[in-house]
Amino acid sequence: MASKNMSIVEKLQEVKDKSGKTYTQIAEQTGLTNVYVAQLVRRQAHLKPDTAPLLRAALPGLTDNLVNEMSKPPFRSYHPNLLQEPAIYRLNEAVMHFGESIKEIINEDFGDGIMSAIDVYCSVDKVKGADGNDRVVVTIDGKYLSHSEQKSDSMLSRAKATVN
């Protein structure tokens, strides 16, 4: 499975490279976020039927076979060595460094819960800082999910039989 997926990813990246377009340019053409476009190319996201024609228009090199593969639910994973890559390591470091504070603010503003990792929008933008240096802006826009109290009456698998 993983080797087949890798071959498809290599083909998709080749199509993207041949287009000469950036992920941001493809995102602008499709109405997707640049990170979601990258996820599609890396087979970490599922290409939806309504989006396929938009992506084909942005990447004319996509074959029917590649679009068919992208339309299947992906095998979402990552290689453990990926954490060694400096940009990914630093992102992980930033989340670990700010994580407790972010969690406290989420709990303070929303209550006991978490941010969804499934219902998430993510984008990367480039801006100029006050000092004139380029800055990376990573926006993670996730749905809030509240933790529920575990009442047995609410557990459908334990629903009590009604007595007549």
Side-chain angles (χ1 to χ4, degrees):
M1 173 77 135
S3 63
K4 178 184 177 191
N5 196 39
M6 182 53 115
S7 171
I8 293 166
V9 169
E10 289 169 354
K11 290 175 185 175
L12 290 168
Q13 288 177 325
E14 187 176 294
V15 168
K16 187 247 180 213
D17 291 345
K18 283 183 180 178
S19 78
K21 296 176 185 174
T22 65
Y23 288 117
T24 299
Q25 289 169 329
I26 298 165
E28 289 168 356
Q29 284 187 264
T30 58
L32 302 170
T33 67
N34 55 4
V35 172
Y36 196 79
V37 170
Q39 289 289 90
L40 285 168
V41 170
R42 299 202 55 75
R43 283 295 292 129
Q44 293 292 310
H46 178 210
L47 179 62
K48 306 295 186 199
D50 291 347
T51 305
L54 300 171
L55 191 61
R56 284 192 94 147
L59 295 173
L62 285 178
T63 64
D64 289 342
N65 184 52
L66 288 173
V67 170
N68 182 48
E69 288 298 323
M70 295 173 80
S71 299
K72 296 176 184 175
F75 181 76
R76 293 175 178 93
S77 66
Y78 66 91
H79 193 282
N81 290 345
L82 191 59
L83 296 176
Q84 302 296 320
E85 201 290 322
I88 295 167
Y89 176 85
R90 293 293 181 227
L91 281 168
N92 192 45
E93 180 182 47
V95 170
M96 296 304 290
H97 178 74
F98 292 99
E100 282 186 278
S101 299
I102 292 168
K103 180 223 180 300
E104 281 189 34
I105 293 168
I106 288 171
N107 293 155
E108 203 173 70
D109 289 352
F110 293 90
D112 183 23
I114 60 172
M115 182 183 74
S116 172
I118 294 173
D119 190 349
V120 150
Y121 295 87
C122 186
S123 65
V124 176
D125 297 290
K126 179 180 174 180
V127 299
K128 286 283 182 199
D131 59 3
N133 290 321
D134 288 339
R135 300 193 61 84
V136 177
V137 178
V138 178
T139 303
I140 301 174
D141 175 345
K143 178 180 179 180
Y144 173 72
L145 303 171
S146 63
H147 285 287
S148 59
E149 186 175 26
Q150 302 285 319
K151 294 184 178 183
S152 60
D153 286 351
S154 299
M155 194 169 170
L156 295 178
S157 63
R158 290 190 177 177
K160 299 190 181 4
T162 56
V163 179
N164 291 353

